[in-house]
Amino acid sequence: MKYIHVYALCLMSVLLTACAQKQTKVPTDINQSAIGTEVKNIGPNIMVRNIKKGSNGTILIAGPNNLSYGDVFRYDARLPEEKGKTFTNLSSKIGSHRFWDVLEDRQGNFWFTTADSGVYYYNNSAALSAGAKSIKHFTTKDGLADNRVMSVYEDKAGVIWFGTGAGISRYDASLPKGQSFRNFKSPNAPLFYKDARLNNDITTIIEDKTGKLWVGTRGDAFVYDGKKYTTLTHNGQPFLDVWSIMEDKKGNIWLSGFNGFNVSQTGGLWRYDLSTGGTFTKVSQRGAYAIIQDKAGNIWTTGSVNPANAHVQALTRYDAKSLYSKQPVVTEIMSGKAFFGLLEANDGSIWFGDATGVYRYAGQGKTITDFYSKVGQKKYRIDTKQSAIVWQASMYLGGWEGTKLISDGSSTGNVAILKGELSIENSELVGGAVDVDMNTIKQIFEDEGPHNKLPDFFDVKKFPVSTFAITKVESGNHENIKVTGKLTIEGITKTVTFPAQMYFKDGMDGTVEINGALILNRTDWGIYYRSEKRFDESGDLTISNQVKFFIKIVAKK
């Protein structure tokens, strides 16, 4: 059987160039040059649950992302701004997990907690680049109370504590082989929820100046003094769903939770005052997922503006001079749908996270830098060297030897992308356009021998470029999307739709990768050369009307 090389089909590969994900709308001052495989100068695309200080002024960022897993990043703040400070993905060698919290202990060792697979420990004597062999993994098999671990804390003595879904775990390397943790559970009966397990579903742990542990849970918050568990109450009612506890410079304790009116929608920011004999004072109706005190004495929080409506949240500052007045001065720095991790860096800047990345509030003008996006839509330029479009076509009739089908006459080839870009807003693809160089259409041969030049199916002199422009994108589960756009070949424009998968490489938004597939009927663009409609003329040289395109797109900011 004779086979024809279908150059015309390659045009369709233009369609490939249209896929991506989400971002936010705040100005950024980040240098965007020289993106590496692990080290980035663009912020992480994750839900930033926790932000912690690392050694030498570094900043550690942890959290899950929208694909049900997450990462841990380190920001190197030691370089001058003009040199391009960078983010490094510390967890890329471990695999996909729902990372939640991070700690660099006083010995320089890293601890990563996850919501699905326990704790990871990295000894600073081994390089992260050495891979998984340099990292220890602790689970319930090693004595951890539960594999869902929401917090990690180092006390004054250097002891490492973990808040798990089934109580507190304390790391103890002196235990017999096979057991690395001592576990603690509050035996107190729940004062509000009927499910007693919530009292040991730990969300946060801190140690106060007296050595007591203050523990937030999804149920009743409590204090543990090494012997006794005391449920925190105000007017006989517990503090529920406490995610952050902080001790200020005076030794007073700040927390946010639900208390009062039978513990209904009466959350807010509370202070436990030692100066008044240990009583609770409600500071604000605003809730707080995270609480810190800066060097100037101001209190900062992230969380809901009104606990009854968790969809309206803010970064809030309480002025140090009015903290103990009946009406403290409150400044709302930024509002949005969700804010989480919070930290004051060594330079006095305030770092905070939301559902898609991390921000910094700093500078003389107190500007907000969004390390994840720019104002409005972000443009991603397609890397034509790393992207590929491969077409696949076949003969209409099969090739036979007796009753055995030996071939469908399939041929493959490629075509080069001339240029293109994608528009992304709030981590979603919202537009884009691609130009394909029709002069580059060629077939791929298995052998390297000489081949005759095939007929010109396209008028490349008159129409040297084919284009595709995105008009609509529908999101599916996780990274699955459906792209619709206008495909123009030799002056004919048709609407096409194709499925694709896309994701941000290494959990960061510096590089977008897309894997798509498109099946077209070439006759819709007037390409009838030996088509099925002309079978009576072409016979066994007839080429199938359907052409499939395998698409790989790599696009960078």
Side-chain angles (χ1 to χ4, degrees), residues 59 295 343-351 360-363 366:
I59 295 172
K295 298 171 185 175
L343 173 75
E344 182 187 24
N346 287 352
D347 63 3
S349 61
I350 301 297
W351 288 65
R360 180 183 63 197
Y361 178 68
K366 292 300 180 184

Side-chain angles (χ1 to χ4, degrees), residues 36-107:
T37 56
E38 277 192 30
V39 179
K40 314 286 183 177
N41 51 17
I42 302 169
N45 169 31
I46 59 173
M47 180 183 291
V48 178
R49 283 289 183 177
N50 287 284
I51 308 176
K52 300 286 187 65
K53 282 187 178 182
S55 61
N56 300 316
T58 58
I59 295 172
L60 305 175
I61 301 167
N65 64 22
N66 294 330
L67 303 182
S68 298
Y69 57 88
D71 287 290
V72 179
F73 296 90
R74 178 174 58 198
Y75 178 80
D76 190 344
R78 292 169 289 181
L79 295 174
E81 194 71 37
E82 63 273 10
K83 294 294 184 181
K85 299 176 182 178
T86 59
F87 290 86
T88 303
N89 188 327
L90 300 180
S91 56
S92 61
K93 301 295 182 181
I94 297 176
S96 299
H97 300 287
R98 298 191 69 230
F99 293 97
W100 200 272
D101 200 1
V102 58
L103 170 73
E104 182 177 1
D105 65 27
R106 294 168 198 168
Q107 305 302 317

